[in-house]
Amino acid sequence: MARARWLGQTAGALAQTALVLLVVSVISFSFLKATPGDPVTVMLGSDFSRDSYDKLYHDLGLDQPLPVQYGRWLADFVQGNWGLSYVSRQDIFELAIHQALPVTLTLAGLSLLIALAAGVPLGVAAALRRNSWVDLLASGAAIGGNAFPSFYLGVVLIWLFSVSLGWFPSMGYVSPWDDPATGLWHLALPAITLGAWYMGLIASVTRTSLLDVLDQPYMMAARARGEPMWRVVWVHGMRNVLMPLVTVIGLQLGGMLRGAVMTEVVFTLPGLGMMITTAVQTREYGVVQAGIMITALLFIGVNFLVDRTYALLDPRLRNHGR
C-alpha cells in the first residue's frame, strides 16, 4: 500500500514537472522572440543581398506564425535536435550538454561542498555558544557571506589572491576530472565566490534549527545518559536539522544557478552562464533557449529529489504512508 502510494505521488510529481517545463518553454520562447534584434542580420554580417536575407529568413522558419515556430522547435528539442550555433558552428546539444553543463555542475557541486564544510560548523558553534563572541563571530561571517554579491566578491578575490599575491589564476578552466590538482586550483576562487552566499544561509539555518532542539527532552535525556556532547549534537541534534537544511538547499538552488552566471562571466568559465551570456549578446535564440531549459530542468529536478527524500529524513512521513 505504501509503495503504491509512493509511486502515485512520484508519477504526479513527474507530471507536474513536465507541465512546468512546458510553461517555461512557452514563456521563454515568446520573450526571446519579442526581444529586439534580428538574428538573420547577425548571421549574415554587414554585407548581404535582399535575396540572401529572404532565403535565410525562410530557411530558419522565421516567416511562419509564432505557434508554428514554437511547435517545430519543441518537436526538435525533445528529440535532441537543437540545431547549430551560427557563431561557433557547433551542435547546440553538444555545446550545452557535453561542454557547458559539466562545468556548471562541477562549479556548483564544489561550491556547495565548501558552503556545507564551512556553514554547518559555523552554525553549530553559534548555537552552542549563543550570545557569546563565538556566536557573534559566526553570525558575522554568515551575514558577510550573504551580503557580498557574487560578482563583487569575485572581483575582490581576483584582485587580492590573483593580481596582488599571485596564488591563484584569475581566469581559465581545467576540468578537475581530468587533472584534479590543476582543476581544483583553477576552481578555488570561483567556488569560494559562489559558495560564500550559500555558506551564510546554511550557517543561519543550522544555528536556528539547532537552537530549537537543544532543550528538547530527548536531547536532555541523551546528556543525562552521559553521552559525549559531540554525539548529542552531531547525532541526535543534527538529525532534526537535516530536514530544514535540505529544504533550504533545494529551494535556494535557483540562487546558486543565478550566481553561477555572474561567477562564470567574472572568471571566464565556459559553463552555462557564460554560454547564455554570450548567446544573448549575439542573438542566438536557440542557444539561449537551450540554456534556459537546462537551468529550469536542473532547478525543478533538484526540488523533485528534495521532496522525494523527505520520507527518508523524517520517519513520521514513512509511517504516515503505511
Side-chain angles (χ1 to χ4, degrees):
M1 182 66 180
R3 180 179 177 84
R5 179 171 182 172
W6 185 87
L7 290 175
Q9 291 176 343
T10 302
L14 288 174
Q16 292 178 354
T17 298
L19 180 60
V20 171
L21 287 175
L22 182 63
V23 172
V24 169
S25 69
V26 172
I27 294 175
S28 59
F29 188 88
S30 302
F31 280 168
L32 286 175
K33 290 298 182 180
T35 55
D38 186 356
V40 177
T41 303
V42 176
M43 293 175 67
L44 292 176
S46 58
D47 186 15
F48 57 87
S49 65
R50 185 64 190 182
D51 290 340
S52 60
Y53 179 92
D54 292 340
K55 183 179 184 303
L56 183 56
Y57 196 84
H58 174 75
D59 291 342
L60 294 175
L62 299 178
D63 55 346
Q64 298 293 324
L66 193 60
V68 175
Q69 294 184 44
Y70 171 77
R72 291 176 57 182
W73 169 83
L74 183 62
D76 290 337
F77 190 85
V78 296
Q79 298 177 55
N81 182 19
W82 296 3
L84 290 176
S85 166
Y86 53 78
V87 173
S88 63
R89 308 308 301 173
Q90 289 181 279
D91 183 82
I92 296 177
F93 186 89
E94 172 74 21
L95 175 65
I97 300 298
H98 294 163
Q99 297 182 26
L101 181 59
V103 176
T104 298
L105 291 180
T106 301
L107 173 62
L110 184 59
S111 302
L112 181 58
L113 287 177
I114 292 175
L116 287 170
V120 172
L122 277 176
V124 171
L128 295 179
R129 301 289 187 270
R130 185 178 184 182
N131 296 328
S132 68
W133 67 269
V134 177
D135 187 12
L136 293 176
L137 183 63
S139 299
I143 294 173
N146 278 326
F148 273 95
S150 60
F151 67 90
Y152 180 74
L153 180 59
V155 172
V156 171
L157 292 180
I158 289 174
W159 175 79
L160 180 60
F161 292 103
S162 295
V163 178
S164 299
L165 299 176
W167 291 354
F168 297 96
S170 60
M171 60 182 64
Y173 175 77
V174 176
S175 174
W177 307 107
D178 298 330
D179 187 344
T182 306
L184 293 176
W185 185 52
H186 276 79
L187 280 177
L189 293 185
I192 293 173
T193 299
L194 185 56
W197 181 87
Y198 229 44
M199 179 272 296
L201 181 63
I202 289 173
S204 299
V205 172
T206 301
R207 177 185 182 276
T208 303
S209 302
L210 191 57
L211 284 175
D212 290 339
V213 302
L214 281 178
D215 294 328
Q216 294 295 322
Y218 68 90
M219 295 285 284
M220 299 174 64
R223 290 196 294 267
R225 290 194 299 268
E227 294 190 30
M229 193 60 187
W230 68 265
R231 180 175 175 83
V232 173
V233 173
W234 290 99
V235 176
H236 300 292
M238 290 302 295
R239 185 179 301 169
N240 292 274
V241 176
L242 283 177
M243 178 73 76
L245 194 59
V246 169
T247 300
V248 167
I249 290 175
L251 293 178
Q252 296 300 324
L253 176 67
M256 176 168 281
L257 293 175
R258 182 176 63 249
V261 173
M262 297 305 302
T263 303
E264 289 174 2
V265 171
V266 170
F267 290 93
T268 63
L269 300 178
L272 287 176
M274 193 67 178
M275 182 192 77
I276 294 174
T277 302
T278 304
V280 168
Q281 295 172 346
T282 56
R283 305 293 192 275
E284 287 199 274
Y285 297 144
V287 178
V288 176
Q289 184 77 358
I292 291 173
M293 293 301 296
I294 294 173
T295 303
L297 183 60
L298 287 175
F299 181 77
I300 297 171
V302 168
N303 280 273
F304 173 80
L305 292 177
V306 168
D307 183 63
R308 295 297 92 193
T309 57
Y310 281 161
L312 299 177
L313 298 176
D314 193 341
R316 293 171 298 180
L317 297 180
R318 292 198 297 267
N319 296 333
H320 180 71
R322 292 176 182 173

